[in-house]
Amino acid sequence: MATLILDFLVLLVLAFHTAIEDLTPTRLAAVRASLTALLPIPVLIFSSLISADHKAILVFWRCKHPLPGSRAFSVHAPADHRIDLTKLKKNVGEFPVGERDQNAKWYGLYKQVDSDPSVVDSHKNYLLFRDIAAMSLLLVPIVPAVMYFSGLDTPRILISTAWFLGQYLVAAFAARTTGIRFVQNVLAVHASRKVTNSRKKEADG
């Protein structure tokens, strides 16, 4: 939400010639309050237009098996010095090789520890940056097109394009980093201890 409010203020300056000096604390507070009330609905609509797999493609730039769990055991686990691969294998069994199988195995492990604080926090950060990246890329063609048909000059259109493209690249890099960390945190928990499937036991009981 803070990112969208910042984007709105940038567009306010670019499109409507609003001077920075005119954005007093009182006006900023009013804008923030208004946007906080009005933005969630269009944000949810735009976000729902892109599936989770497509958002992952935009973040990891991989068309086939883009989800970070697809390389959980072959790439991300060996790269994390917290993870003892021998202990991890002892606790979770043999590592799958195929990317689809890796993601399926990792997802099952994630569901066993999805309430662990480190997992919850990294998952939340990944989803946040992933959605910002997707939203920013969606706005790269939309905002300049609206500005063009509104009769705004080329320099301001180019600035808005550069702004949203840069925002996309930064958010995509942040989402990639936090997504990999999310995968690694799940595996680190399983490497540190043998996790019993308490939910299954409760269901059977």
Side-chain angles (χ1 to χ4, degrees), residues 13-123:
V13 173
L14 288 174
F16 300 104
H17 303 281
T18 302
I20 298 295
E21 294 79 7
D22 292 340
L23 297 175
T24 62
T26 302
R27 290 187 178 181
L28 284 175
V31 169
R32 181 183 178 87
S34 300
L35 293 179
T36 300
L38 298 175
L39 276 179
I41 294 177
V43 168
L44 289 174
I45 293 174
F46 276 116
S47 182
S48 65
L49 295 176
I50 307 176
S51 69
D53 282 351
H54 288 146
K55 289 177 183 177
I57 290 173
L58 298 179
V59 167
F60 292 96
W61 302 345
R62 293 170 57 97
C63 292
K64 192 174 182 179
H65 304 299
L67 296 173
S70 300
R71 294 164 298 285
F73 301 95
S74 59
V75 177
H76 303 320
D80 191 335
H81 297 295
R82 299 173 302 162
I83 300 174
D84 186 318
L85 296 178
T86 302
K87 289 183 178 178
L88 178 62
K89 185 175 292 187
K90 180 180 178 181
N91 290 340
V92 305
E94 290 296 319
F95 300 160
V97 176
E99 292 185 333
R100 183 183 181 87
D101 294 335
Q102 286 190 59
N103 188 67
K105 173 87 170 181
W106 174 84
Y107 184 76
L109 298 175
Y110 158 64
K111 295 305 290 183
Q112 295 178 24
V113 296
D114 59 1
S115 60
D116 184 277
S118 66
V119 173
V120 171
D121 187 58
S122 57
H123 187 205

Side-chain angles (χ1 to χ4, degrees), residues 3 7 10-11 14 58 61 132-144 156-174:
T3 302
D7 289 342
V10 170
L11 290 176
L14 288 174
L58 298 179
W61 302 345
I132 291 176
M135 182 70 66
S136 300
L137 189 59
L138 199 62
L139 292 175
V140 168
I142 292 176
V143 172
R156 280 182 289 172
I157 293 174
L158 293 177
I159 291 172
S160 70
T161 302
W163 172 269
F164 287 108
L165 183 59
Q167 183 172 280
Y168 159 69
L169 293 173
V170 171
F173 180 78

